[in-house]
Amino acid sequence: MINLEVPVKDMDLTKLKAGDVISLSGNILTARDQAHKRILEQGAPCDIEGAAIFHAGPIITNKGSEDEPEYEIVAVGPTTSMRMNPYQKDVIALGPKIVIGKGGMDDTVREALKEHNAIYVVATGGCAALYVDAVEKIESVDWLDLGMPEAMWNLKVDSFGPLIVAMDSHGNSLYD
C-alpha cells in the first residue's frame, strides 16, 4: 500500500494506476452535493489546492455546548459519488488532487482527472467504523448551516485507507 501525504503538493500522481491501493495521511475534507454546489457558487471556505475531497457525510456528536462545541466523529464512510457528477469536474479544476468516494463517476470526471493530474479513489462502503479509526481529530468545520452531513469537515487522518485508485490521471477506470 502506498501512503500519500495530503494536501498533495508537487507530487507526480501519474505514477499511480487504476487498481493501486493507497492510504492517506494529513488532512481530508468531506463534501457532499450541497458543499460541492456551494464551492462553485461561493468559492471554497479553505484552501483546496492539492486537497483530498471525500464524498462522505460523517456522523458527528457534539459533547460540548452550542456556544462551545466539542465535536467528536463517530463514523465516516463514503457516499455514492455519482451524485457529485454535475459539480465534480469544475471542483477538480479548482485544485483538489484526490477525490474519495464510492462507485463510478462519469466521463466528465475522467477527463477532468486527466487534465488536472488528479485521481479518484474508492473507499469500501460499510466500513465507516473502520475508517473512523484513522481520524486523529476534527480540525475544523465549515457550512454547518447545510446540516452536519452536508457540512465541510476538515479531518486530520493517519493512514486513512485502504483506498483503491478507481480512475487514474491517464483516463483509466476500473469501471470500464
Side-chain angles (χ1 to χ4, degrees):
M1 184 170 352
I2 302 162
N3 190 55
L4 300 179
E5 291 292 324
V6 285
V8 175
K9 299 286 184 183
D10 302 321
M11 177 183 249
D12 185 5
L13 293 175
T14 61
K15 294 176 185 168
L16 295 172
K17 306 284 185 237
D20 286 347
V21 179
I22 68 167
S23 63
L24 302 174
S25 294
N27 288 71
I28 61 175
L29 304 167
T30 67
R32 290 180 12 155
D33 316 50
Q34 294 306 308
H36 277 71
K37 183 178 179 199
R38 191 171 283 181
I39 287 169
L40 296 177
E41 291 172 350
Q42 299 178 6
C46 58
D47 183 8
I48 61 171
E49 183 68 35
I53 294 183
F54 187 16
H55 298 157
I59 298 171
I60 306 284
T61 60
N62 181 2
K63 297 195 176 243
S65 66
E66 197 170 308
D67 295 333
E68 293 185 39
E70 293 177 35
Y71 296 117
E72 184 177 300
I73 189 162
V74 176
V76 62
T79 193
T80 304
S81 292
M82 70 172 22
R83 294 192 339 250
M84 273 50 79
N85 280 335
Y87 315 106
Q88 197 66 69
K89 74 176 181 84
D90 294 324
V91 171
I92 290 169
L94 297 174
K97 293 296 184 183
I98 301 170
V99 177
I100 309 162
K102 180 175 75 176
M105 297 199 78
D106 68 17
D107 284 338
T108 65
V109 175
R110 180 194 312 242
E111 291 306 313
L113 295 170
K114 281 174 49 178
E115 181 180 346
H116 299 286
N117 186 32
I119 59 173
Y120 169 61
V121 299
V122 290
T124 304
C127 291
L130 169 70
Y131 287 126
V132 78
D133 288 342
V135 178
E136 294 180 332
K137 69 178 184 171
I138 297 171
E139 298 262 76
S140 62
V141 61
D142 290 290
W143 299 337
L144 269 172
D145 63 299
L146 297 175
M148 281 218 185
E150 290 287 344
M152 184 176 266
W153 296 89
N154 182 351
L155 308 175
K156 173 89 171 152
V157 299
D158 183 36
S159 300
F160 185 87
L163 306 167
I164 301 167
V165 178
M167 297 172 86
D168 62 29
S169 63
H170 302 283
N172 301 307
S173 173
L174 295 181
Y175 297 102
D176 287 341

